[in-house]
Amino acid sequence: MTLDEGVDQAGQGNASGPSIAPHVPSPDTLVVGLGNPLRGDDGIGPRATQMLVTRALPEGVEVVEGGTQGLGLVSLMEGWQRVILVDAANVGQPPGGFVRFTPQEARLLGSEKPISVHNAGLREALLLAETLELLPDKIAIYGMQPANLDWDDGLSPQVEAAMPKLVSAILDELGAETTGS
């Protein structure tokens, strides 16, 4: 048997030995930035992910831009122990103000008023994940009040100015070093 044949057969299991699966680390924390950066302040989530990936994050943390996932968020969250969601949201604050809340706290807000600014909203995705028993053990939602949701490339000045404070709060929750850029 050549080395190439041995490599091709590794992990396939045969009469000569057991199958060996590659080590896959268990997922720990996923940070998802939701929103459309072409809709002004709806780009809060994607902007937060851009800022977070430039920072030293703890081991086991993955940051992704989730776009406008809607119900697709359910499969994105599946298998993670902890998920942090960042989105433009109607949180009753001045533009750039943000609130950290949990799915349970979102449920208390009632179902008549959407939390997220997206049509297939965050509430629906979280309810579906809970119903399917796919909800991660720990979920935190950071909602920032938008000023402008028009077709506009870039955040409003108020929201852009507040982004470092939002990212710092997320880094604190992750246990990451918050000094530096």
Side-chain angles (χ1 to χ4, degrees):
M1 174 185 304
T2 67
L3 181 57
D4 288 338
E5 289 170 332
V7 170
D8 288 342
Q9 291 177 4
Q12 294 179 359
N14 56 37
S16 65
S19 175
I20 300 172
H23 172 69
V24 178
S26 63
D28 185 26
T29 301
L30 178 66
V31 180
V32 183
L34 299 171
N36 181 347
L38 300 177
R39 295 280 319 264
D41 291 340
D42 191 29
I44 288 167
R47 178 73 177 114
T49 62
Q50 291 170 354
M51 295 171 76
L52 285 166
V53 297
T54 67
R55 305 298 290 269
L57 300 173
E59 188 174 328
V61 174
E62 186 174 330
V63 177
V64 298
E65 188 174 319
T68 54
Q69 287 278 331
L71 296 179
L73 184 59
V74 174
S75 62
L76 187 61
M77 293 188 303
E78 184 178 1
W80 291 89
Q81 295 171 15
R82 176 171 70 161
V83 174
I84 298 173
L85 303 168
V86 186
D87 198 4
N90 298 314
V91 294
Q93 299 284 318
F98 66 91
V99 175
R100 180 203 181 277
F101 54 97
T102 65
Q104 294 76 18
E105 292 166 330
R107 195 175 301 122
L108 294 176
L109 298 175
S111 60
E112 72 282 349
K113 186 175 180 184
I115 298 168
S116 175
V117 296
H118 307 293
N119 289 335
L122 185 53
R123 176 181 285 118
E124 291 81 9
L126 293 171
L127 287 172
L128 179 60
E130 182 178 44
T131 301
L132 297 174
E133 298 181 0
L134 299 175
L135 206 57
D137 293 336
K138 299 175 187 172
I139 297 181
I141 304 161
Y142 285 85
M144 180 179 271
Q145 185 70 44
N148 171 31
L149 296 174
D150 293 331
W151 290 103
D152 193 1
D153 188 16
L155 300 177
S156 66
Q158 309 97 302
V159 167
E160 185 66 51
M163 290 303 298
K165 187 174 179 182
L166 172 66
V167 168
S168 179
I170 296 166
L171 289 169
D172 285 347
E173 179 148 343
L174 293 171
E177 179 63 42
T178 56
T179 59
S181 58

